[in-house]
Amino acid sequence: MYQLLKQVFDVGIRTEPPPPPEESLRVLTQRLENEILRLFNGALAIRQVDAGSCNGCELEIHALNNPYYNLEGLGIKFVASPRHADMLLVTGPVARNMEVALKRTWEATPDPKLVVALGECGCDGGMFGESYASRGRVANVIPVDVAVPGCPPTPAAIMQGILTAISAKPAATHD
Amino acid sequence: MAFEGLQLPMLPLHGASPAWHARVETAQLPQVCRAVRDQGGRLTALWGADNRDQAGGFSLHLILANGDGALWLTCRLDARNPAYPDLSQWFSSADRQQRAIHDLLGIQVEHSTAFVDRRPWLSHGAWSGSEFPLRRDASLENTSPPGTDNYAFVPVEGEGVHEIPVGPVHAGIIEPGHFRFSVVGEKVLRLEERLGYTHKGIAKRFSALTLKEGARLAGRISGDSTVAYAWAYAMAVEAMTGTTPPPRALWLRALYLERERIANHLGDLGALGNDGGLAFGLAQFMRLKEDVLRLNARVAGHRYLMDAIVPGGVMRDIDRAALDQLAAQCDALEPEVRTLREIYDDHAGLQDRFMTCGILTAATARRLGVVGFAARASGEAMDARRSPGLAPYDLLDVRVSTARSGDVAGRVAVRFGEVFESLRLIRAIVERIAPGRECMELPVPPAGAPGLGWIEGWRGEIFVALEAGENGRIRQAHAHDPSWQNWPALEHAVIGNIVPDFPVINKSFNLSYSGQDL
């Protein structure tokens, strides 16, 4: 136990500041009212769905919870059921074998819900494109609010995408 | 010479690992398979192809491997009624691959008096059952919206038995697949896996690409093994063009492969701690893994080293200062991992979860043809870096980590051992790396030329088999993930354990979905 506590003390806190939201990542304009976003107050429950990825994006999503990015420290956590989620974080080209599962997961997520598509594949189908086995980009199957490019996107980029999805409408388009 | 006594006309294949190619008739398959199995060999990859456009009917391809090398067998099948004997009589790992071949090509296992599993594997009803996507004349226009296909899981009956269906969308951040547990109380009587959810038509996609473009796709078959796949692919292209990449490129590839091994083992060791109730382990190991990934990005331009290996060599050279940084990171990591291993070893609660949990016996591992660190943790000292060996590993005297217990604790011990060995190998590579070019131009291979790549990735051995098309294009490509052999081992390892131990057992293997769904 002594060694464990010493290790915790020696390593200290390594968390880095999060990136700011980035409007260019939006696919749809912010659908949530500012009042709802104010209630979220940055806190968010995410259900991750791998709809056919190579597992590269999943590695970077895991990295979000390492001490450097510490996503949970911002009040954002991953949940086990879509019924507990505010957001779906979807990776991969949508494999046809996953199409039904993705749609059902989306339907099971209560409104208001957000969808962030990750990676080259999630944005445009990537190397796999559309075929007998792949529906291509996530937006071909469910509505997408924010799409984060990269193969895979870095943890900072994923974090930026998530934060963009829960940021207020920019002042210029705000009525 | 390997595969003695088969009396087949074997053609040596050019390449980094000893490999031969031979054509066989279906009637010869039983005798060849039996002989190879009796000599301790194993079936690794099994796939099919449609050559009717070249008046060649269909073909069945097998890769048999042993400590001396690999034997690639091509068996011509009839164009109208393609069938072959059930290979799972000799190699249990043939079963799911045979089902996948049927789904993609409509090539059947011959009628047999013994039981043959004919349920679909990759086909989940998303394309019509009479369409076979890898047939060259497949129209695939009627891709109706997939429904529920009522897959026939094997029922377990008896008093108090019930089923727990899990997936394809799992509770964590994991790839999709379905697990059907049959349990009594908390005890698992049977686990049946159903995979194929991430099938995205990789073989068909390959055949639309040039050999150069294919490297990028190979690096995206299984993201956690991108280096291993890219190397195996590059090796296959180099084999078909009769070239050997410059020595510096080989050193850098080995350097990348060992860094991939370290990154994956560190992540999994952390996750295993977490699944065993020690969240501290996850935070600590994930921090170390992040350090490795960040240095990868600085030195080679990508956190997971995607696209760092290309046919002919590596994408870019690494200067001395960067090499020294890599060696310095090994020096920094080693004492940290030693400290964490001591903490794991001394933690009674964690050891209680790891020991005697999820046992894969040596006999079961051998029977199923299990490979990689999972086999090594059940006492099988196999490692393609060591035997048959591969440049530059022949100069490094790779020490193979093994354990005998076959439980989660054994797989954890082997993973720790492999982290330390990879750190040693990286230091040795940094010291010995040869100067010179990092990449060379490759000639265009003649159409029909075969090439085979064989790499010991962090999970186990990966094969990439290629056939050249016209003008530097790919005619056929098949990539084989060690998860094909190891997924059935997980079904055995969980028997008799309690359901809450499944996550820790599953993570101790950490098998690929995307790599086997293709």
Side-chain angles (χ1 to χ4, degrees):
Chain A
M1 197 45 144
Y2 163 74
Q3 208 174 13
L4 191 153
L5 292 172
K6 181 175 180 300
Q7 176 77 7
V8 170
F9 183 77
D10 287 350
V11 171
I13 291 172
R14 299 289 178 94
T15 305
E16 298 165 350
E22 171 56 52
E23 281 303 311
S24 68
L25 298 174
R26 278 195 201 282
V27 178
L28 298 175
T29 52
Q30 180 61 273
R31 292 176 297 159
L32 300 188
E33 294 304 320
N34 284 347
E35 180 56 20
I36 289 173
L37 293 166
R38 192 184 63 75
L39 289 171
F40 268 141
N41 193 21
L44 192 72
I46 302 177
R47 170 67 260 202
Q48 195 264 336
V49 183
D50 175 341
S53 97
C54 76
N55 199 28
C57 290
E58 278 63 36
L59 298 177
E60 292 297 48
I61 298 170
H62 275 291
L64 282 179
N65 274 328
N66 79 31
Y68 287 99
Y69 306 103
N70 190 19
L71 190 71
E72 208 157 323
L74 298 176
I76 300 173
K77 61 174 184 176
F78 290 91
V79 294
S81 167
R83 297 187 198 284
H84 304 159
D86 310 305
M87 174 188 286
L88 295 182
L89 188 60
V90 187
T91 63
V94 181
R96 292 188 59 92
N97 288 352
M98 275 302 289
E99 194 176 342
V100 171
L102 176 62
K103 280 185 182 153
R104 284 188 187 166
T105 306
W106 186 79
E107 282 158 13
T109 310
D111 280 318
K113 55 191 161 197
L114 294 160
V115 175
V116 173
L118 279 195
E120 207 179 277
C121 302
C123 289
D124 67 7
M127 281 302 284
F128 306 100
E130 292 178 32
S131 72
Y132 77 93
S134 165
R135 288 290 315 272
R137 64 185 187 136
V138 175
N140 289 348
V141 179
I142 55 172
V144 168
D145 293 280
V146 167
V148 183
C151 186
T154 60
I158 300 172
M159 205 186 224
Q160 189 166 46
I162 293 168
L163 294 174
T164 302
I166 52 168
S167 66
K169 295 173 195 174
T173 59
H174 189 248
D175 42 28
Chain B
M1 176 172 149
F3 305 107
E4 282 167 38
L6 293 181
Q7 294 169 340
L8 292 172
M10 289 192 271
L11 183 76
L13 289 172
H14 182 89
S17 295
W20 297 268
H21 182 255
R23 292 185 180 280
V24 291
E25 300 297 324
T26 41
Q28 291 172 285
L29 277 175
Q31 174 241 328
V32 170
C33 289
R34 199 177 303 121
V36 169
R37 186 203 57 190
D38 290 348
Q39 290 172 28
R42 60 190 181 274
L43 172 78
T44 59
L46 178 65
W47 73 102
D50 178 1
N51 300 314
R52 289 173 301 162
D53 59 328
Q54 298 179 340
F58 289 93
S59 58
L60 182 76
H61 298 267
L62 298 74
I63 292 178
L64 303 169
N66 62 24
D68 298 319
L71 174 62
W72 176 354
L73 296 177
T74 300
C75 182
R76 191 185 154 145
L77 305 178
D78 185 60
R80 292 227 182 106
N81 183 23
Y84 60 96
D86 175 21
L87 304 180
S88 68
Q89 335 172 35
W90 304 288
F91 301 108
S92 114
S93 65
D95 170 57
R96 290 174 179 180
Q97 299 189 78
Q98 290 178 165
R99 291 160 65 187
I101 292 170
H102 177 262
D103 291 351
L104 296 174
L105 281 154
I107 300 175
Q108 299 254 21
V109 169
E110 281 168 6
H111 178 72
S112 164
T113 49
F115 172 75
V116 178
D117 191 344
R118 295 187 190 273
R119 290 175 298 170
W121 183 248
L122 295 180
S123 170
H124 290 203
W127 61 88
S128 131
S130 56
E131 289 266 27
F132 300 107
L134 287 191
R135 287 196 174 189
R136 291 183 192 275
D137 52 2
S139 69
L140 296 168
E141 276 161 8
N142 307 326
T143 43
S144 53
T148 311
D149 67 339
N150 298 320
Y151 184 78
F153 287 95
V154 175
V156 176
E157 289 171 353
E159 200 180 321
V161 179
H162 73 278
E163 286 188 346
I164 307 176
V166 181
V169 180
H170 289 162
I173 302 162
I174 329 173
E175 296 181 83
H178 185 93
F179 298 130
R180 185 65 59 98
F181 296 92
S182 296
V183 302
V184 163
E186 287 212 288
K187 192 171 157 187
V188 179
L189 296 179
R190 181 186 160 89
L191 161 65
E192 185 171 353
E193 298 152 358
R194 194 200 183 186
L195 306 176
Y197 289 94
T198 69
H199 176 68
K200 40 196 175 277
I202 287 176
K204 189 129 191 149
R205 190 80 191 97
F206 262 125
S207 59
L209 301 175
T210 65
L211 286 164
K212 209 169 177 175
E213 293 163 341
R216 195 161 186 276
L217 183 57
R220 283 153 183 81
I221 290 169
S222 176
D224 58 34
S225 300
T226 179
V227 173
Y229 272 104
W231 190 353
Y233 178 86
M235 194 192 280
V237 177
E238 288 147 12
M240 64 167 59
T241 53
T243 49
T244 306
R248 189 172 180 84
L250 295 176
W251 285 111
L252 288 172
R253 287 176 179 181
L255 181 75
Y256 294 158
L257 187 68
E258 297 314 312
R259 288 185 67 81
E260 178 168 273
R261 196 180 315 278
I262 290 173
N264 280 293
H265 282 331
L266 288 178
D268 285 356
L269 285 167
L272 281 158
N274 199 45
D275 286 345
L278 186 63
F280 158 89
L282 182 65
Q284 295 291 333
F285 277 108
M286 287 302 279
R287 171 178 62 85
L288 298 181
K289 180 179 182 182
E290 179 72 17
D291 291 339
V292 172
L293 301 179
R294 288 182 174 194
L295 189 55
N296 282 348
R298 277 208 298 283
V299 166
H302 194 284
R303 283 162 58 87
Y304 296 91
L305 304 166
M306 276 182 176
D307 309 320
I309 294 177
V310 292
V314 294
M315 186 63 99
R316 67 187 205 194
D317 201 4
I318 289 185
D319 64 15
R320 191 70 236 174
L323 287 169
D324 291 341
Q325 280 185 335
L326 293 170
Q329 186 171 62
C330 293
D331 296 342
L333 275 174
E334 182 149 0
E336 290 232 45
V337 179
R338 279 200 194 288
T339 302
L340 293 174
R341 182 169 69 173
E342 276 173 35
I343 291 173
Y344 270 31
D345 283 350
D346 290 345
H347 197 285
L350 198 60
Q351 292 305 316
D352 186 45
R353 294 293 304 277
F354 287 176
M355 293 172 92
T356 71
C357 177
I359 296 174
L360 176 67
T361 64
T364 306
R366 247 195 314 277
R367 185 169 57 77
L368 298 177
V370 171
V371 292
F373 73 82
R376 295 192 280 276
S378 293
E380 288 273 332
M382 60 160 78
D383 188 324
R385 293 175 297 170
R386 171 112 211 157
S387 150
L390 158 75
Y393 289 105
D394 49 345
L395 302 172
L396 292 170
D397 190 27
V398 178
R399 295 167 203 160
V400 179
S401 298
T402 56
R404 291 184 172 278
S405 55
D407 54 0
V408 173
R411 286 184 286 279
V412 166
V414 168
R415 283 161 174 268
F416 271 116
E418 294 191 358
V419 169
F420 293 124
E421 176 61 3
S422 293
L423 292 171
R424 186 187 74 80
L425 291 172
I426 291 172
R427 287 198 202 94
I429 292 167
V430 167
E431 234 166 68
R432 302 184 58 162
I433 187 166
R437 286 187 305 159
E438 79 283 5
C439 197
M440 62 187 285
E441 275 296 314
L442 297 182
V444 174
L452 184 65
W454 180 6
I455 290 295
E456 185 78 25
W458 71 272
R459 193 180 271 120
E461 56 187 13
I462 280 167
F463 287 83
V464 171
L466 293 175
E467 186 188 329
E470 305 285 340
N471 307 319
R473 302 196 70 81
I474 299 172
R475 177 167 161 82
Q476 254 143 35
H478 182 74
H480 177 83
D481 197 274
S483 303
W484 278 109
Q485 291 104 297
N486 290 8
W487 272 115
L490 178 65
E491 291 182 341
H492 284 264
V494 300
I495 293 173
N497 288 264
I498 58 172
V499 177
D501 273 342
F502 176 72
V504 75
I505 299 169
N506 187 26
K507 183 52 82 174
S508 73
F509 287 94
N510 192 3
L511 300 170
S512 172
Y513 300 69
S514 181
Q516 84 104 56
D517 292 347
L518 292 172

